[in-house]
Amino acid sequence: MFFVIRFNAAFAALGINPTLVPADYRELGQTLGKQSGCTPQEAALMVLANLPAEIQRRANPLAVNVWMREGKVRPNPAMQEAMSRIGWR
């Protein structure tokens, strides 16, 4: 339950209303993220990387910088790829 709340809060911190993300994407991201040992923030980034560019452009990359400093997003290949797909690296 807390993972879902934090996942949705991660989208809000990115400046994206979680309801703009299709429910099936949110559910899949939450399930796979939790099963894979991702943080809610990492799971949100993975979902964001697979959304249309119009939604990606709304996201605030400064939130990710804070998450990285706080250890909520780890600098691993999957996160680097996700950020690259969003256009942040």
Side-chain angles (χ1 to χ4, degrees):
M1 177 62 119
F2 289 115
F3 192 92
V4 172
I5 293 167
R6 290 184 179 128
F7 177 89
N8 289 331
F11 268 104
L14 288 167
I16 297 173
N17 183 333
T19 61
L20 293 177
V21 180
D24 55 337
Y25 272 52
R26 285 195 320 264
E27 184 177 327
L28 182 61
Q30 293 161 0
T31 301
L32 292 177
K34 191 171 185 179
Q35 289 175 350
S36 300
C38 292
T39 67
Q41 293 80 6
E42 289 170 335
L45 283 175
M46 296 296 284
V47 170
L48 179 62
N50 291 288
L51 292 175
E54 66 188 49
I55 295 175
Q56 289 179 356
R57 283 191 292 270
R58 297 176 187 201
N60 178 4
L62 298 178
V64 177
N65 293 335
V66 171
W67 293 340
M68 290 181 92
R69 282 194 309 272
E70 294 175 347
K72 295 177 181 176
V73 171
R74 296 164 286 193
N76 59 40
M79 291 299 102
Q80 295 298 328
E81 180 182 340
M83 288 189 282
S84 177
R85 289 182 71 179
I86 298 167
W88 292 346
R89 295 197 181 240

XYZ file of all heavy atoms in Angstrom:
691
model
N 0.817 -1.191 0.000
C 0.000 0.000 0.000
C 0.861 1.257 0.000
O 0.594 2.179 -0.734
C -0.944 -0.032 1.200
C -1.782 1.208 1.313
S -2.864 1.457 -0.097
C -4.413 1.412 0.677
N 1.904 1.265 0.838
C 2.764 2.448 0.908
C 3.509 2.671 -0.400
O 3.759 3.803 -0.777
C 3.749 2.353 2.074
C 3.088 2.497 3.413
C 3.068 1.445 4.302
C 2.457 3.675 3.771
C 2.447 1.563 5.534
C 1.837 3.809 4.993
C 1.830 2.753 5.885
N 3.868 1.570 -1.086
C 4.572 1.695 -2.359
C 3.705 2.461 -3.347
O 4.190 3.353 -4.044
C 4.936 0.306 -2.915
C 5.897 0.356 -4.063
C 7.259 0.271 -3.850
C 5.450 0.494 -5.365
C 8.161 0.322 -4.901
C 6.327 0.552 -6.432
C 7.693 0.460 -6.196
N 2.434 2.114 -3.413
C 1.503 2.778 -4.341
C 1.397 4.263 -4.021
O 1.447 5.108 -4.930
C 0.120 2.099 -4.290
C -0.907 2.882 -5.089
C 0.217 0.661 -4.790
N 1.286 4.585 -2.764
C 1.181 5.991 -2.358
C 2.445 6.744 -2.730
O 2.389 7.847 -3.295
C 0.888 6.101 -0.844
C -0.510 5.549 -0.546
C 1.028 7.537 -0.353
C -0.798 5.324 0.923
N 3.591 6.158 -2.450
C 4.865 6.822 -2.770
C 5.089 6.908 -4.275
O 5.668 7.878 -4.769
C 6.002 6.097 -2.079
C 5.973 6.308 -0.579
C 7.155 5.661 0.095
N 7.110 5.906 1.521
C 7.199 4.957 2.429
N 7.370 3.704 2.076
N 7.137 5.254 3.707
N 4.650 5.898 -5.005
C 4.748 5.909 -6.463
C 3.959 7.091 -7.033
O 4.466 7.858 -7.846
C 4.212 4.576 -7.010
C 4.176 4.463 -8.502
C 5.264 3.974 -9.197
C 3.047 4.814 -9.217
C 5.234 3.839 -10.576
C 2.993 4.688 -10.588
C 4.089 4.200 -11.279
N 2.721 7.238 -6.599
C 1.892 8.358 -7.065
C 2.472 9.686 -6.604
O 2.444 10.674 -7.349
C 0.453 8.192 -6.600
C -0.251 7.067 -7.325
O 0.061 6.739 -8.468
N -1.209 6.440 -6.659
N 3.030 9.723 -5.399
C 3.668 10.951 -4.907
C 4.897 11.288 -5.745
O 5.205 12.469 -5.941
C 4.052 10.796 -3.441
N 5.580 10.274 -6.247
C 6.748 10.516 -7.103
C 6.316 11.225 -8.382
O 6.981 12.165 -8.833
C 7.463 9.210 -7.424
N 5.221 10.795 -8.976
C 4.725 11.491 -10.173
C 4.341 12.927 -9.837
O 4.637 13.849 -10.595
C 3.544 10.747 -10.799
C 3.965 9.765 -11.845
C 3.980 8.418 -11.566
C 4.387 10.183 -13.095
C 4.393 7.502 -12.510
C 4.801 9.291 -14.052
C 4.806 7.943 -13.755
N 3.697 13.123 -8.707
C 3.331 14.476 -8.297
C 4.575 15.332 -8.098
O 4.603 16.498 -8.492
C 2.492 14.436 -7.026
N 5.633 14.752 -7.511
C 6.882 15.502 -7.310
C 7.532 15.855 -8.643
O 8.215 16.873 -8.751
C 7.849 14.687 -6.455
N 7.300 15.036 -9.650
C 7.811 15.336 -10.997
C 6.970 16.405 -11.688
O 7.323 16.874 -12.759
C 7.817 14.071 -11.855
C 8.877 13.034 -11.518
C 8.577 11.714 -12.228
C 10.257 13.550 -11.892
N 5.856 16.776 -11.064
C 4.976 17.781 -11.651
C 3.944 17.186 -12.591
O 3.348 17.892 -13.401
N 3.724 15.880 -12.463
C 2.764 15.194 -13.327
C 1.641 14.644 -12.460
O 1.888 13.903 -11.512
C 3.439 14.044 -14.095
C 4.515 14.609 -15.008
C 2.416 13.244 -14.897
C 5.356 13.555 -15.681
N 0.434 14.999 -12.809
C -0.724 14.455 -12.115
C -0.778 12.962 -12.416
O -0.844 12.579 -13.589
C -1.997 15.154 -12.603
C -3.225 14.706 -11.875
O -3.305 13.595 -11.375
N -4.215 15.575 -11.840
N -0.736 12.106 -11.398
C -0.735 10.663 -11.658
C -1.920 10.181 -12.484
O -1.825 9.175 -13.171
C -0.765 10.036 -10.258
C -0.270 11.089 -9.345
C -0.635 12.403 -9.977
N -3.026 10.917 -12.453
C -4.180 10.490 -13.238
C -3.967 10.673 -14.740
O -4.729 10.136 -15.532
C -5.461 11.222 -12.801
O -5.291 12.628 -13.011
C -5.779 10.941 -11.338
N -2.920 11.421 -15.138
C -2.586 11.535 -16.560
C -1.925 10.267 -17.086
O -1.865 10.053 -18.288
C -1.648 12.721 -16.802
C -2.216 14.112 -16.579
C -1.133 15.160 -16.797
C -3.383 14.356 -17.525
N -1.431 9.455 -16.168
C -0.784 8.195 -16.527
C -1.871 7.126 -16.589
O -2.613 6.958 -15.615
C 0.293 7.809 -15.489
C 0.970 6.514 -15.863
C 1.304 8.931 -15.330
N -1.991 6.440 -17.720
C -3.035 5.411 -17.801
C -2.956 4.433 -16.623
O -1.871 4.036 -16.197
C -2.734 4.704 -19.126
C -1.991 5.735 -19.939
C -1.199 6.528 -18.942
N -4.108 4.066 -16.104
C -4.182 3.213 -14.915
C -3.429 1.896 -15.101
O -2.765 1.428 -14.171
C -5.637 2.943 -14.556
N -3.496 1.309 -16.293
C -2.796 0.040 -16.498
C -1.284 0.222 -16.436
O -0.570 -0.642 -15.925
C -3.219 -0.633 -17.802
C -3.050 0.237 -19.032
O -3.023 1.481 -18.908
O -2.965 -0.330 -20.137
N -0.768 1.359 -16.902
C 0.667 1.656 -16.794
C 1.065 1.845 -15.337
O 2.099 1.367 -14.902
C 1.025 2.934 -17.574
C 1.368 2.715 -19.015
C 0.531 2.011 -19.870
C 2.534 3.232 -19.551
C 0.840 1.829 -21.191
C 2.860 3.059 -20.882
C 2.002 2.356 -21.696
O 2.319 2.182 -23.005
N 0.238 2.584 -14.609
C 0.534 2.796 -13.189
C 0.576 1.467 -12.446
O 1.514 1.183 -11.698
C -0.497 3.724 -12.537
C -0.334 5.180 -12.890
C -1.123 6.110 -11.969
N -2.442 5.650 -11.594
C -3.563 6.006 -12.201
N -3.541 6.834 -13.218
N -4.731 5.559 -11.780
N -0.443 0.651 -12.662
C -0.519 -0.632 -11.967
C 0.663 -1.536 -12.336
O 1.280 -2.142 -11.461
C -1.833 -1.326 -12.300
C -2.027 -2.617 -11.526
C -3.372 -3.259 -11.809
O -4.349 -2.530 -12.047
O -3.423 -4.496 -11.793
N 0.989 -1.607 -13.608
C 2.111 -2.440 -14.046
C 3.427 -1.923 -13.467
O 4.246 -2.701 -12.976
C 2.184 -2.480 -15.573
C 3.274 -3.356 -16.170
C 3.076 -4.811 -15.762
C 3.286 -3.221 -17.680
N 3.623 -0.612 -13.500
C 4.843 -0.019 -12.946
C 4.975 -0.261 -11.456
O 6.064 -0.558 -10.953
N 3.869 -0.158 -10.751
C 3.879 -0.398 -9.305
C 4.201 -1.858 -9.009
O 5.046 -2.159 -8.163
C 2.532 -0.010 -8.703
C 2.259 1.466 -8.754
C 0.786 1.803 -8.596
O -0.058 0.931 -8.442
N 0.474 3.091 -8.650
N 3.564 -2.762 -9.725
C 3.772 -4.194 -9.492
C 5.196 -4.608 -9.841
O 5.897 -5.228 -9.033
C 2.759 -5.017 -10.313
O 1.438 -4.643 -9.919
C 2.958 -6.505 -10.097
N 5.632 -4.266 -11.063
C 6.977 -4.661 -11.489
C 8.057 -3.958 -10.676
O 9.084 -4.555 -10.361
C 7.161 -4.384 -12.976
C 6.326 -5.245 -13.922
C 6.550 -4.818 -15.368
C 6.628 -6.716 -13.734
N 7.825 -2.708 -10.359
C 8.797 -1.968 -9.563
C 9.005 -2.599 -8.198
O 10.128 -2.816 -7.759
N 7.922 -2.922 -7.557
C 8.007 -3.530 -6.227
C 8.663 -4.908 -6.308
O 9.537 -5.232 -5.508
C 6.614 -3.623 -5.605
C 6.631 -3.998 -4.158
C 5.252 -3.855 -3.540
C 5.311 -4.121 -2.056
N 4.003 -3.963 -1.435
N 8.263 -5.714 -7.287
C 8.832 -7.050 -7.446
C 10.322 -7.007 -7.780
O 11.065 -7.910 -7.410
C 8.094 -7.829 -8.542
C 6.702 -8.249 -8.166
C 5.964 -8.904 -9.316
O 6.405 -8.901 -10.464
N 4.806 -9.477 -9.015
N 10.750 -5.958 -8.479
C 12.149 -5.843 -8.908
C 13.047 -5.183 -7.874
O 14.235 -5.028 -8.102
C 12.222 -5.042 -10.210
O 11.487 -5.679 -11.221
N 12.467 -4.738 -6.777
C 13.257 -4.094 -5.739
C 13.566 -2.637 -6.021
O 14.476 -2.067 -5.426
N 12.795 -2.036 -6.913
C 12.963 -0.609 -7.214
C 12.336 0.220 -6.104
O 11.408 -0.227 -5.426
C 12.258 -0.251 -8.525
S 12.981 -0.953 -9.997
N 12.827 1.429 -5.967
C 12.152 2.379 -5.102
C 10.923 2.888 -5.865
O 10.859 2.763 -7.100
C 13.065 3.565 -4.749
O 13.319 4.325 -5.942
C 14.375 3.106 -4.119
N 9.953 3.468 -5.181
C 8.805 4.033 -5.896
C 9.228 5.088 -6.919
O 8.646 5.182 -8.010
C 7.952 4.639 -4.784
C 8.322 3.866 -3.570
C 9.781 3.547 -3.726
N 10.266 5.858 -6.594
C 10.752 6.891 -7.508
C 11.355 6.259 -8.764
O 11.138 6.742 -9.877
C 11.778 7.784 -6.800
C 11.194 8.616 -5.683
C 11.009 7.851 -4.371
O 11.403 6.701 -4.216
N 10.379 8.506 -3.400
N 12.099 5.185 -8.581
C 12.678 4.494 -9.741
C 11.577 3.897 -10.616
O 11.635 3.988 -11.842
C 13.636 3.393 -9.275
C 14.911 3.933 -8.680
C 15.757 2.871 -8.008
O 15.232 1.826 -7.570
O 16.983 3.104 -7.902
N 10.581 3.303 -9.988
C 9.465 2.736 -10.741
C 8.731 3.821 -11.524
O 8.371 3.621 -12.686
C 8.510 2.010 -9.800
N 8.547 4.982 -10.914
C 7.882 6.094 -11.605
C 8.703 6.545 -12.812
O 8.140 6.828 -13.878
C 7.653 7.255 -10.650
N 10.023 6.591 -12.662
C 10.873 6.975 -13.800
C 10.789 5.960 -14.925
O 10.777 6.324 -16.109
C 12.325 7.132 -13.359
C 12.653 8.412 -12.625
C 14.106 8.389 -12.135
C 12.440 9.612 -13.527
N 10.739 4.682 -14.576
C 10.634 3.639 -15.596
C 9.319 3.779 -16.371
O 9.289 3.628 -17.579
C 10.742 2.257 -14.957
C 12.085 1.983 -14.308
S 13.456 1.949 -15.468
C 13.203 0.367 -16.201
N 8.239 4.062 -15.661
C 6.952 4.256 -16.329
C 7.003 5.518 -17.181
O 6.586 5.512 -18.344
C 5.793 4.318 -15.308
C 4.495 4.756 -15.961
C 5.625 2.965 -14.632
N 7.533 6.606 -16.625
C 7.618 7.861 -17.363
C 8.391 7.687 -18.669
O 8.012 8.254 -19.701
C 8.287 8.941 -16.507
C 8.459 10.309 -17.146
C 7.099 10.922 -17.490
C 9.243 11.231 -16.215
N 9.439 6.882 -18.651
C 10.259 6.665 -19.842
C 9.480 5.982 -20.959
O 9.887 6.043 -22.124
C 11.490 5.838 -19.487
N 8.359 5.366 -20.627
C 7.551 4.660 -21.619
C 6.250 5.380 -21.962
O 5.411 4.821 -22.661
C 7.251 3.241 -21.121
C 8.508 2.405 -21.109
O 9.004 2.035 -22.165
N 9.041 2.138 -19.935
N 6.113 6.596 -21.481
C 4.928 7.396 -21.782
C 5.194 8.298 -22.982
O 6.354 8.538 -23.347
C 4.543 8.240 -20.561
C 4.037 7.454 -19.354
C 3.799 8.390 -18.174
C 2.769 6.694 -19.696
N 4.153 8.831 -23.589
C 4.338 9.739 -24.733
C 5.170 10.969 -24.352
O 5.157 11.425 -23.201
C 2.904 10.148 -25.093
C 2.036 9.074 -24.537
C 2.738 8.586 -23.308
N 5.864 11.494 -25.343
C 6.741 12.652 -25.140
C 5.992 13.842 -24.555
O 6.561 14.599 -23.775
C 7.416 13.036 -26.455
N 4.725 14.007 -24.911
C 3.968 15.152 -24.385
C 3.838 15.092 -22.866
O 3.825 16.136 -22.208
C 2.597 15.253 -25.039
C 1.684 14.094 -24.708
C 0.400 14.105 -25.499
O 0.464 14.263 -26.721
O -0.660 13.949 -24.870
N 3.769 13.913 -22.304
C 3.721 13.781 -20.842
C 5.131 13.922 -20.279
O 5.338 14.583 -19.257
C 3.077 12.451 -20.416
C 1.610 12.426 -20.844
C 3.194 12.245 -18.901
C 0.895 11.121 -20.589
N 6.109 13.319 -20.943
C 7.501 13.404 -20.483
C 7.967 14.855 -20.377
O 8.675 15.208 -19.444
C 8.434 12.645 -21.429
C 8.286 11.157 -21.364
C 9.203 10.452 -22.340
O 9.905 11.085 -23.134
N 9.209 9.135 -22.301
N 7.562 15.688 -21.322
C 7.993 17.094 -21.314
C 7.498 17.849 -20.089
O 8.078 18.859 -19.698
C 7.525 17.801 -22.582
C 8.348 17.471 -23.800
C 8.012 18.393 -24.950
N 6.668 18.186 -25.464
C 6.356 17.336 -26.443
N 7.298 16.610 -27.001
N 5.120 17.209 -26.851
N 6.435 17.396 -19.472
C 5.893 18.064 -18.281
C 6.715 17.778 -17.025
O 6.587 18.473 -16.029
C 4.463 17.599 -18.027
C 3.509 17.949 -19.122
C 2.157 17.367 -18.832
N 1.269 17.552 -19.967
C -0.030 17.526 -19.894
N -0.620 17.312 -18.742
N -0.760 17.698 -20.971
N 7.521 16.731 -17.075
C 8.245 16.286 -15.883
C 9.388 17.232 -15.540
O 10.069 17.768 -16.413
C 8.794 14.880 -16.102
N 9.603 17.410 -14.251
C 10.643 18.279 -13.723
C 11.874 17.440 -13.369
O 11.845 16.700 -12.388
C 10.122 19.010 -12.485
C 11.161 19.896 -11.862
O 12.264 20.047 -12.357
N 10.808 20.490 -10.734
N 12.976 17.572 -14.131
C 14.169 16.766 -13.854
C 14.852 17.118 -12.536
O 15.637 16.327 -12.014
C 15.077 17.044 -15.042
C 14.638 18.371 -15.566
C 13.157 18.449 -15.286
N 14.561 18.276 -11.981
C 15.188 18.652 -10.704
C 14.787 17.708 -9.575
O 15.575 17.458 -8.661
C 14.850 20.094 -10.348
C 15.350 21.154 -11.335
C 14.908 22.541 -10.898
C 16.854 21.079 -11.482
N 13.589 17.161 -9.646
C 13.152 16.206 -8.629
C 14.054 14.978 -8.625
O 14.403 14.458 -7.563
C 11.704 15.792 -8.872
N 14.478 14.547 -9.807
C 15.342 13.368 -9.903
C 16.706 13.656 -9.291
O 17.287 12.789 -8.627
C 15.468 12.902 -11.364
C 16.415 11.718 -11.471
C 14.099 12.540 -11.914
N 17.206 14.862 -9.478
C 18.488 15.222 -8.864
C 18.411 15.111 -7.342
O 19.330 14.605 -6.703
C 18.906 16.643 -9.265
C 19.225 16.754 -10.734
O 19.589 15.777 -11.381
N 19.077 17.941 -11.272
N 17.310 15.561 -6.779
C 17.111 15.463 -5.322
C 17.037 13.988 -4.925
O 17.672 13.560 -3.963
C 15.843 16.224 -4.883
C 15.510 15.944 -3.431
C 16.016 17.714 -5.125
N 16.278 13.207 -5.668
C 16.137 11.786 -5.355
C 17.484 11.069 -5.415
O 17.755 10.197 -4.602
C 15.168 11.115 -6.304
C 13.738 11.558 -6.173
C 13.161 12.178 -5.109
C 12.723 11.417 -7.147
N 11.846 12.428 -5.360
C 11.539 11.967 -6.609
C 12.686 10.882 -8.429
C 10.340 11.979 -7.308
C 11.490 10.892 -9.123
C 10.325 11.440 -8.571
N 18.318 11.449 -6.367
C 19.631 10.808 -6.486
C 20.490 11.143 -5.270
O 21.161 10.268 -4.723
C 20.312 11.204 -7.790
C 19.624 10.583 -8.998
S 20.405 11.001 -10.541
C 21.531 9.610 -10.659
N 20.463 12.398 -4.850
C 21.222 12.785 -3.648
C 20.724 12.049 -2.412
O 21.499 11.719 -1.529
C 21.151 14.298 -3.424
C 22.069 15.099 -4.312
C 22.219 16.538 -3.833
N 20.970 17.233 -3.588
C 20.274 17.924 -4.488
N 20.724 18.035 -5.714
N 19.168 18.544 -4.160
N 19.429 11.809 -2.346
C 18.825 11.149 -1.195
C 18.902 9.619 -1.286
O 18.471 8.929 -0.368
C 17.360 11.574 -1.059
C 17.198 13.039 -0.715
C 15.742 13.485 -0.705
O 14.856 12.739 -1.198
O 15.486 14.596 -0.213
N 19.392 9.094 -2.392
C 19.496 7.649 -2.572
C 18.198 6.975 -2.978
O 18.092 5.750 -2.945
N 17.212 7.757 -3.393
C 15.932 7.196 -3.818
C 15.961 6.742 -5.272
O 15.092 5.978 -5.692
C 14.811 8.209 -3.599
C 14.582 8.524 -2.126
C 13.533 9.576 -1.938
C 13.344 9.874 -0.454
N 12.392 10.955 -0.241
N 16.929 7.232 -6.023
C 17.182 6.780 -7.391
C 18.653 6.443 -7.462
O 19.510 7.299 -7.227
C 16.816 7.863 -8.440
C 17.290 7.460 -9.819
C 15.315 8.102 -8.452
N 18.924 5.180 -7.731
C 20.308 4.713 -7.797
C 20.836 4.845 -9.220
O 20.095 4.594 -10.175
C 20.373 3.261 -7.324
C 19.965 3.121 -5.847
C 19.666 1.714 -5.487
N 18.366 1.355 -6.082
C 17.686 0.268 -5.756
N 18.165 -0.573 -4.878
N 16.520 0.020 -6.311
N 22.088 5.231 -9.360
C 22.663 5.426 -10.707
C 23.063 4.087 -11.336
O 24.238 3.803 -11.519
C 23.872 6.314 -10.430
C 24.291 5.949 -9.043
C 23.022 5.616 -8.311
N 22.075 3.269 -11.673
C 22.362 1.993 -12.312
C 21.998 2.065 -13.796
O 21.381 3.043 -14.244
C 21.622 0.853 -11.589
C 20.122 1.046 -11.580
O 19.527 1.466 -12.554
N 19.490 0.729 -10.466
N 22.375 1.075 -14.588
C 22.100 1.140 -16.033
C 20.625 1.317 -16.384
O 20.304 2.041 -17.333
C 22.639 -0.201 -16.547
C 23.714 -0.573 -15.579
C 23.219 -0.084 -14.240
N 19.737 0.700 -15.639
C 18.308 0.837 -15.941
C 17.840 2.279 -15.760
O 17.071 2.797 -16.579
C 17.488 -0.104 -15.059
N 18.304 2.945 -14.710
C 17.912 4.331 -14.471
C 18.557 5.255 -15.499
O 17.932 6.203 -15.968
C 18.288 4.772 -13.051
C 17.483 4.111 -11.956
S 15.712 4.467 -12.069
C 15.088 2.950 -12.774
N 19.801 4.967 -15.856
C 20.471 5.775 -16.874
C 19.719 5.666 -18.205
O 19.513 6.665 -18.893
C 21.928 5.317 -17.047
C 22.790 5.550 -15.821
C 22.920 7.018 -15.455
O 22.906 7.890 -16.309
N 23.037 7.290 -14.165
N 19.281 4.451 -18.546
C 18.527 4.262 -19.788
C 17.189 4.990 -19.737
O 16.781 5.640 -20.701
C 18.303 2.779 -20.053
C 17.534 2.541 -21.337
C 17.251 1.077 -21.605
O 17.941 0.203 -21.044
O 16.328 0.819 -22.384
N 16.498 4.892 -18.608
C 15.203 5.565 -18.469
C 15.364 7.073 -18.626
O 14.602 7.711 -19.355
C 14.567 5.225 -17.119
N 16.363 7.635 -17.960
C 16.572 9.082 -18.059
C 16.986 9.482 -19.468
O 16.594 10.542 -19.958
C 17.578 9.538 -17.016
C 16.989 9.505 -15.614
S 18.013 10.250 -14.349
C 19.217 8.974 -14.088
N 17.729 8.636 -20.142
C 18.113 8.907 -21.525
C 16.884 8.914 -22.425
O 16.756 9.770 -23.305
C 19.118 7.858 -21.988
O 19.449 8.067 -23.331
N 15.965 7.974 -22.217
C 14.747 7.914 -23.026
C 13.880 9.140 -22.802
O 13.166 9.575 -23.697
C 13.962 6.652 -22.693
C 14.661 5.390 -23.205
C 13.873 4.170 -22.919
N 12.691 4.163 -23.793
C 11.808 3.202 -23.791
N 11.939 2.179 -22.980
N 10.777 3.249 -24.600
N 13.937 9.697 -21.600
C 13.180 10.917 -21.301
C 13.894 12.137 -21.889
O 13.303 13.169 -22.125
C 12.991 11.066 -19.783
C 12.187 9.885 -19.228
C 12.302 12.382 -19.421
C 12.195 9.756 -17.716
N 15.204 11.993 -22.141
C 15.987 13.088 -22.706
C 16.756 13.865 -21.662
O 17.164 14.996 -21.903
N 16.966 13.269 -20.507
C 17.657 13.968 -19.418
C 19.127 13.660 -19.326
O 19.842 14.257 -18.557
C 16.996 13.648 -18.080
C 15.631 14.223 -17.949
C 15.070 15.182 -18.746
C 14.649 13.897 -16.989
N 13.792 15.457 -18.334
C 13.512 14.682 -17.249
C 14.605 13.011 -15.935
C 12.351 14.621 -16.499
C 13.457 12.938 -15.180
C 12.332 13.740 -15.450
N 19.626 12.690 -20.077
C 21.057 12.362 -20.072
C 21.485 11.864 -21.406
O 20.837 11.295 -22.138
C 21.380 11.323 -18.999
C 21.136 11.899 -17.638
C 21.824 11.081 -16.598
N 21.545 11.659 -15.308
C 22.466 12.105 -14.507
N 23.713 12.085 -14.826
N 22.149 12.608 -13.347
